[in-house]
Amino acid sequence: MRITCPHCGPRDLVEFSYHGDATLTRPDSASTDQDVWNAYVYDRANPAGEHREFWQHSGGCRKHLVVTRNTLTHAISGVDFAPGKRTGRKRS
Amino acid sequence: MTSWRIPSGGRIDRAKPVRFSFDGKSYTGFAGDTLASALLANGVRLFGRSFKYHRPRGLVAAGYEEPNALVTVTTDGAREPNIRATELEVYDGLVAESQNRYPSLAFDLQAVNQLAGKAFSAGFYYKTFMGPVIGPLKGTRAWMFCESFIRRAAGLGSAGTVTDPARYERMNAFCDVLVVGSGPSGLEAARKAAADGKRVILCETNAAFGGSANWAGSDQAGFAETLISDLGANPGVTLLNRTTVWGCYDGNTYAALERVSDHRKQPVIGEPRHRHWVIRADHVVLATGALERLLVFPGNDRPGVMLASAAQRFAGEYGVLPGKRIVVLTNNDSAYDAAAKLRERDALITTIVDVRPTVGDWALAQAKEAGAEVLASHAVVATGGRNSLSSVTVQPFDAEINAFPGPPRRVACDTLLVSGGWSPVVHLASQAGAKPVWDDKLQAFLPPGSSSGWEAVGAAAGEGLEPPAPLFEIKAKGDKAFVDFQHDVTADDVRLAHREGYQSVEHLKRYTTLGMATDQGKTANIPGMAIMADALSKPIPEVGTTRFRPPFTGVSLGALAAERYGDIRPGRLTPMHDWHKSNGAGMYAAGLWYRPESYNRQGESVEDAYIREAKAVRRNVGIVDVSTLGKIDIQGPDAAEFLDRVYTNTFSTLPVGKARYGLMLREDGFALDDGTTWRLAENRFLMTTTTANAGRVMQHLEYHLDCIWPDLKVHLTSVTDQWAAAAVAGPKSREVLAACVKRTKLDNKALPFMGIVHGRIAQIPVMICRLSFSGERAYEVYCGAHHGQRVWDALMEAGKSFDMQPYGLEALGTLRIEKGHVTGAEIDGRTTAQDLHLDWLISKKKPFVGSAMMNREGLTDPKRWSLVGVISLSGEKLRGGSHIVDGPADDPGRSLGHLTAMCFSPLYGKYIGLALVENGTGRIGTRAFATDPARSGTHIPVEFVNHIFYDPKGERMHG
């Protein structure tokens, strides 16, 4: 499997580390609602099909990427920088 | 023995004779021969003994699908078993031997297994050995007793014990078009792609390119040779012979094994034995051809029974005839073509037995050319001969109802060529996820059209194959009728499995082991499924096929490992590494780092040394290399805010020039890591982490900046390798520094506990932070890594007059245990801040990572394991990892926790340790045992004490 890092280009899987579900939103830091936090930390959907995941290019630019991957075919349909204003901009 | 070699023709080089040995006997072949063709030319027909019944077996096929002729090759004492003689190219000095026979191939004692045939039917092992013990001879225990005998009797070759002397390589390759197979269809596909300017890789499993063009007919040979030389001249084309594409993986990644030097006695210098190719192709053309199938009938495994196409290949490619007097058995027209072609090479074909009632004109014309009598509506129902075929029994046969409406008669022959139809090689398409589709006309599974990544062409797509009669088995009474030759699975085994309730083809496979041998059932799968379908009275496509998985044929493990064997982890050395070694330190692997264990003086044990070193620190002064600590430079206007969010305590209030001890939690509320972070400027911090967790903490911080708080203006840089660091600890540490640090004040006011100053040692700029892991007054001195040794030397020089001693990891551990400091052994991913008595670090004024989850019921239960000190009461040495129990040795009861660290404490004069124990704090003052039954057998009485053994108020390090 290869992932096309938007910064470094197509690279082998061994350069990347998987860092979990990218579809979740972290609850507000000040929130103490245990159900909300529990869902964020532990509850995971296990979709058969398209899934959005965090992958860090740990053996390259070290950016976190959001990879859209089909869990049935392993086909990757999209790779983007993790959300935020740094998207597409090199940090030097 | 007479030569069975045809006087001329074939692709062997008759000018280059080759001498080799098989089972200790010497033979001659020609360059270009395989072991199979060379032995066949010498009249050898017996190649091996079968898996269960030890029946004599000969050549069935001429290529990678061969199930019987497996040999062991010995090179420089290293044995490689289960090599197909049909793929092994002969070379001068080749030493091969047959397998699974005792004492010799021609006379095998275990052939008596045939007499006990019924006992070895499908499921024999399950029925006999698995399950509860009922009688003395039944049950799993009986299996454990019998296993070694059975394993010796049943089986294939045995692996050697000598280390493989060969070298292997891995290669990554990229191309526009990968063509698998260099037969006429593959060559044409490669030509087309190359003409379009594509980068092409063409893989051929055999030594010679050309596939069936090399043997199927003289008309194609010239055409193929021209194409191959054209392709070879094209710089955009890579031709790989002796290369089997064996696996298909995600993203059109294909794995191939190139047998670079197996055809030579010695590899050429610089050449590996095998090369593992990882090929990434935009498009793949599967030109893998088709395999001929056998028919199932009694005695179909006798040496001399061979596929018709194999005989054609032996004659055409190697110039060898399989026999002197040949009978053909077929259910399709392709065998007639083979007969005619063999006749051209002077073979004597007496009879063609065809199960079909009518034979077409074209086939009859071929038979006439071959000079063979045609027996339509006939079948072979038995074979005769001992270790090789001497006759077949032929009987009128009605294939529709499996009836024999006439008397049998014997036909003398030494070879029976069989054609039971053709199966396209769909393995790679199946690996790619395609479900093969049954074709009723061809009685075969075809790849389902094409996909975006691959297409099948030629015979692999079913093109040009002769449609057979829908017959797979001639059900006649008599000898065993084999489906899977390599695993000795008979047609009756398949039917027995059906009667015992196995209906799915996947279950059938596992119960009978059909198709599970090293050949993966290349000749057996389709007949096996057909017989199962017949037993189920279902059409074959409803029974379905199993999914093929890599590898297509065997792959050497050496090639997969290639250069990556042994300990391939990079070692990380501190700048002072050589100094430690030359000063008596044994180096201890801590993750990737090597750290000095202790500096042993003459006659000292490690324990003597660390006790001396720890005493020196407590009484006087010592120095330790702490360069391995993880270090992260954190900069940016939001750096302080970021630290407040990831640490449990507050860093925004930390003044510039001061350090603070901090604790990080995971989002789920468990402890992640601890360490000190120094504020070097308003917007710049230097974070230290434990040695083991440096990578994890860096990733944790990067994740939060990238994914959670992208609005924070913070930049992280790992500087672990950029700073060298030494800790000078002990009551005289300040004097040592004062003797070498110029123009910087070090008194309590200028440099209080947790203070940071800048200065110079031996003209090198250094940063000094006053913090303590040992519990004594101590200073960590940081400098650029390249100056590490110089600064260390200057510190050692300054320490001379104070008798400063270097100390290692063991003494460091002893000092920290006495002080109750935690490390990775305690922050083990299951402990909370409270468990470790670090809850004083938790700020209640702000949220941080983990704050929402850390107070869950289960995490605040006072009965949780918590950190406690342990003292050995008997004077025995404690063992790290011991369980804490409250019962005596003979009845210890359940584990209440475990010892995370131990040492001999010079302070107490006793062995002490730290432990994580259920309700640990509540047990202080009570006694229990530290038990280690599995390793040392110790069961030591201990007393629980506070985890801080030494100076709980911290007066020594503040003073």
Side-chain angles (χ1 to χ4, degrees):
Chain A
M1 199 165 106
R2 266 189 296 181
I3 295 174
T4 303
C5 172
H7 182 253
C8 308
R11 296 300 177 99
D12 192 272
L13 183 66
V14 299
E15 293 187 12
F16 297 86
S17 337
Y18 177 73
H19 287 153
D21 195 336
T23 63
L24 302 159
T25 309
R26 190 174 188 267
D28 183 73
S29 293
S31 163
T32 52
D33 185 329
Q34 287 300 299
D35 291 340
V36 171
W37 277 101
N38 199 65
Y40 172 68
V41 172
Y42 293 112
D43 292 355
R44 293 293 180 272
N46 185 15
E50 289 232 316
H51 190 38
R52 278 156 47 81
E53 309 166 328
F54 284 124
W55 288 79
Q56 187 184 16
H57 194 188
S58 43
C61 62
R62 293 198 68 87
K63 289 293 296 176
H64 280 80
L65 310 174
V66 176
V67 174
T68 309
R69 184 178 70 97
N70 188 311
T71 58
L72 295 174
T73 63
H74 298 179
I76 291 172
S77 54
V79 185
D80 214 334
F81 288 118
K85 63 182 173 39
R86 282 192 191 82
T87 298
R89 205 189 77 197
K90 260 194 223 177
R91 289 196 289 162
S92 54
Chain B
M1 263 177 220
T2 50
S3 175
W4 299 36
R5 187 79 72 177
I6 305 164
S8 66
R11 296 181 58 90
I12 46 167
D13 187 347
R14 288 168 196 261
K16 284 189 192 154
V18 167
R19 291 194 68 77
F20 62 95
S21 89
F22 178 62
D23 277 349
K25 197 169 168 221
S26 198
Y27 295 93
T28 308
F30 292 117
D33 260 327
T34 60
L35 180 67
S37 70
L39 286 173
L40 198 59
N42 282 283
V44 174
R45 321 208 72 189
L46 182 59
F47 277 77
R49 287 278 170 173
S50 74
F51 184 66
K52 275 198 283 191
Y53 304 116
H54 289 250
R55 287 168 69 109
R57 290 283 168 82
L59 292 168
V60 164
Y64 58 73
E65 74 272 33
E66 169 59 34
N68 289 334
L70 302 184
V71 299
T72 298
V73 175
T74 313
T75 312
D76 300 335
R79 292 162 59 85
E80 172 108 3
N82 302 337
I83 297 184
R84 285 172 290 275
T86 48
E87 289 190 294
L88 178 61
E89 294 172 60
V90 290
Y91 51 81
D92 248 333
L94 167 70
V95 178
E97 56 188 63
S98 58
Q99 302 180 163
N100 201 30
R101 80 285 189 269
Y102 180 84
S104 76
L105 187 54
F107 178 76
D108 184 322
L109 284 175
Q110 283 167 334
V112 296
N113 281 3
Q114 290 178 61
L115 303 177
K118 279 276 188 290
F120 289 118
S121 59
F124 164 69
Y125 295 103
Y126 297 109
K127 287 169 193 163
T128 312
F129 293 112
M130 298 303 152
V133 178
I134 297 163
L137 267 177
K138 198 164 166 90
T140 316
R141 211 177 290 163
W143 167 252
M144 289 160 92
F145 174 71
C146 299
E147 186 182 4
S148 66
F149 304 105
I150 291 168
R151 291 233 185 268
R152 199 183 314 158
L156 304 167
S158 53
T161 51
V162 177
T163 305
D164 186 352
R167 192 176 68 78
Y168 298 87
E169 257 178 27
R170 176 191 158 111
M171 182 78 100
N172 289 296
F174 301 83
C175 64
D176 299 314
V177 179
L178 168 66
V179 181
V180 186
S182 73
S185 316
L187 287 175
E188 179 56 24
R191 186 195 63 78
K192 256 194 236 159
D196 289 349
K198 302 264 171 61
R199 290 176 306 159
V200 177
I201 294 178
L202 174 64
C203 294
E204 167 57 51
T205 192
N206 291 301
F209 293 100
S212 63
N214 290 330
W215 48 267
S218 48
D219 48 326
Q220 285 182 331
F223 158 78
E225 263 167 39
T226 314
L227 264 184
I228 292 156
S229 73
D230 286 355
L231 287 171
N234 187 330
V237 178
T238 306
L239 296 176
L240 296 173
N241 62 338
R242 301 187 177 95
T243 304
T244 307
V245 179
W246 55 263
C248 170
Y249 295 91
D250 293 333
N252 250 24
T253 304
Y254 284 74
L257 183 77
E258 182 185 6
R259 291 170 299 278
V260 183
S261 60
D262 274 355
H263 61 294
R264 284 195 254 278
K265 182 153 177 62
Q266 290 291 335
V268 173
I269 288 173
E271 202 180 58
R273 177 177 175 230
H274 291 168
R275 189 175 283 131
H276 170 44
W277 286 80
V278 177
I279 303 172
R280 295 194 157 101
D282 285 346
H283 187 71
V284 178
V285 177
L286 301 176
T288 44
L291 294 177
E292 198 169 22
R293 299 191 293 250
L294 282 167
L295 287 168
V296 181
F297 58 92
N300 63 342
D301 66 328
R302 199 173 303 282
V305 179
M306 184 185 277
L307 290 166
S309 59
Q312 209 185 333
R313 184 168 171 197
F314 280 121
E317 186 163 354
Y318 305 107
V320 184
L321 286 181
K324 306 276 188 197
R325 198 178 167 86
I326 298 171
V327 172
V328 177
L329 169 65
T330 186
N331 67 356
N332 70 88
D333 281 357
S334 69
Y336 290 84
D337 183 42
K341 296 266 164 57
L342 283 166
R343 179 65 205 147
E344 283 173 22
R345 311 303 309 267
D346 291 332
L348 172 62
I349 296 133
T350 62
T351 314
I352 299 178
V353 180
D354 197 323
V355 298
R356 298 174 297 179
T358 50
V359 180
D361 291 341
W362 179 84
L364 287 174
Q366 302 293 309
K368 197 173 173 196
E369 243 173 74
E373 168 200 17
V374 175
L375 296 176
S377 284
H378 271 66
V380 173
V381 296
T383 61
R386 280 184 60 82
N387 282 347
S388 109
L389 188 73
S390 61
S391 71
V392 294
T393 305
V394 174
Q395 200 170 2
F397 178 58
D398 184 339
E400 287 276 317
I401 54 170
N402 197 71
F404 301 93
R409 67 181 169 99
R410 283 164 84 92
V411 178
C413 63
D414 61 10
T415 301
L416 174 68
L417 301 185
V418 182
S419 179
W422 294 81
S423 301
V425 178
V426 297
H427 297 61
L428 288 173
S430 171
Q431 285 185 25
K435 208 171 159 58
V437 189
W438 179 254
D439 184 296
D440 223 31
K441 184 160 156 273
L442 291 175
Q443 291 285 298
F445 283 102
L446 299 183
S450 62
S451 84
S452 57
W454 57 269
E455 64 177 315
V457 298
E463 289 164 20
L465 298 180
E466 293 290 349
L471 178 100
F472 294 87
E473 184 190 6
I474 298 156
K475 286 183 231 165
K477 287 205 165 58
D479 199 358
K480 290 187 196 329
F482 285 90
V483 181
D484 185 327
F485 285 45
Q486 202 172 94
H487 260 170
D488 266 2
V489 180
T490 66
D492 282 341
D493 286 331
V494 176
R495 279 188 280 271
L496 178 67
H498 164 251
R499 282 202 303 281
E500 292 185 351
Y502 293 87
Q503 308 228 331
S504 144
V505 63
E506 296 285 354
H507 293 160
L508 167 75
K509 173 180 156 182
R510 283 153 184 82
Y511 190 55
T512 62
T513 71
L514 176 88
M516 288 171 71
T518 67
D519 67 343
Q520 291 284 288
K522 293 203 172 53
T523 54
N525 284 337
I526 306 291
M529 263 173 262
I531 291 166
M532 188 67 171
D534 181 54
L536 290 165
S537 306
K538 272 187 186 173
I540 292 170
E542 278 183 34
V543 175
T545 178
T546 57
R547 180 164 175 184
F548 293 106
R549 298 183 197 285
F552 175 68
T553 50
V555 176
S556 51
L557 292 175
L560 296 181
E563 298 86 355
R564 300 166 298 174
Y565 64 90
D567 189 355
I568 55 167
R569 297 174 309 161
R572 297 180 80 178
L573 311 181
T574 76
M576 288 80 92
H577 182 83
D578 292 342
W579 188 94
H580 302 316
K581 280 181 75 176
S582 55
N583 282 273
M587 301 307 286
Y588 184 89
L592 296 178
W593 286 104
Y594 286 87
R595 305 184 68 176
E597 188 178 28
S598 58
Y599 299 84
N600 300 1
R601 290 180 181 169
Q602 194 80 36
E604 269 186 344
S605 68
V606 170
E607 192 166 288
D608 296 338
Y610 84 70
I611 292 168
R612 169 181 51 75
E613 291 167 10
K615 278 181 182 166
V617 174
R618 291 269 182 256
R619 289 178 189 163
N620 195 28
V621 60
I623 182 169
V624 63
D625 183 353
V626 291
S627 305
T628 61
L629 287 178
K631 305 170 208 77
I632 302 169
D633 199 322
I634 301 172
Q635 299 189 35
D638 295 321
E641 168 66 20
F642 177 58
L643 291 177
D644 281 351
R645 294 186 191 186
V646 295
Y647 272 127
T648 60
N649 44 342
T650 308
F651 280 76
S652 50
T653 54
L654 182 69
V656 173
K658 291 281 275 182
R660 185 166 284 171
Y661 177 60
L663 175 72
M664 268 183 244
L665 305 185
R666 302 191 310 225
E667 198 75 275
D668 63 5
F670 288 88
L672 170 69
D673 197 51
D674 68 340
T676 55
T677 287
W678 317 2
R679 192 166 206 167
L680 302 179
E682 184 61 26
N683 294 330
R684 183 179 177 195
F685 293 81
L686 179 68
M687 176 187 283
T688 65
T689 73
T690 53
T691 300
N693 275 336
R696 197 176 308 159
V697 170
M698 184 69 182
Q699 192 280 315
H700 179 80
L701 301 182
E702 285 172 330
Y703 172 81
H704 283 89
L705 278 181
D706 267 358
C707 306
I708 311 287
W709 306 305
D711 52 315
L712 287 185
K713 293 192 180 98
V714 179
H715 189 86
L716 306 171
T717 309
S718 167
V719 291
T720 303
D721 294 328
Q722 276 65 34
W723 290 104
V728 179
K732 292 190 185 145
S733 54
R734 188 186 291 153
E735 283 94 320
V736 172
L737 283 184
C740 61
V741 179
K742 306 292 179 217
R743 291 191 295 278
T744 300
K745 283 187 176 166
L746 300 168
D747 59 89
N748 257 348
K749 189 154 173 276
L751 185 53
F753 185 62
M754 289 293 185
I756 303 165
V757 294
H758 294 260
R760 280 176 184 268
I761 294 178
Q763 282 110 56
I764 306 301
V766 296
M767 244 179 352
I768 302 169
C769 182
R770 183 173 165 190
L771 37 87
S772 176
F773 195 50
S774 57
E776 299 301 327
R777 178 193 296 154
Y779 303 86
E780 285 188 6
V781 180
Y782 277 48
C783 67
H786 285 90
H787 303 297
Q789 186 61 53
R790 187 165 166 185
V791 170
W792 178 275
D793 286 342
L795 287 166
M796 287 304 296
E797 184 61 33
K800 253 187 189 164
S801 44
F802 305 95
D803 192 26
M804 182 171 74
Q805 293 183 23
Y807 63 100
L809 208 52
E810 291 293 330
L812 186 80
T814 300
L815 296 165
R816 77 99 182 170
I817 291 170
E818 288 179 339
K819 189 67 189 155
H821 281 312
V822 296
T823 66
E826 291 81 27
I827 305 182
D828 64 358
R830 296 174 294 182
T831 44
T832 64
Q834 207 175 334
D835 298 341
L836 303 172
H837 313 298
L838 295 175
D839 35 339
W840 59 277
L841 285 169
I842 287 175
S843 162
K844 294 193 172 65
K845 292 183 191 149
K846 51 142 194 159
F848 50 84
V849 173
S851 61
M853 301 290 277
M854 67 179 185
N855 290 324
R856 288 180 286 162
E857 208 175 325
L859 300 193
T860 50
D861 186 341
K863 291 212 179 74
R864 285 180 59 80
W865 287 14
S866 59
L867 186 68
V868 69
V870 162
I871 298 174
S872 167
L873 296 174
S874 66
E876 289 172 275
K877 183 176 179 172
L878 295 167
R879 304 278 165 169
S882 291
H883 284 278
I884 303 295
V885 294
D886 52 14
D890 54 357
D891 183 22
R894 70 185 179 88
S895 175
L896 304 170
H898 66 265
L899 210 60
T900 57
M902 59 70 58
C903 67
F904 181 83
S905 165
L907 281 175
Y908 281 69
K910 284 177 181 168
Y911 285 99
I912 65 167
L914 293 173
L916 287 165
V917 183
E918 225 176 77
N919 185 25
T921 312
R923 288 178 193 271
I924 287 173
T926 70
R927 295 180 172 192
F929 298 94
T931 189
D932 182 30
R935 293 179 305 166
S936 58
T938 49
H939 191 83
I940 302 168
V942 294
E943 181 173 326
F944 297 113
V945 295
N946 188 291
H947 65 287
I948 305 174
F949 291 84
Y950 178 66
D951 186 25
K953 288 186 180 151
E955 284 157 352
R956 297 195 49 105
M957 60 187 187
H958 288 94

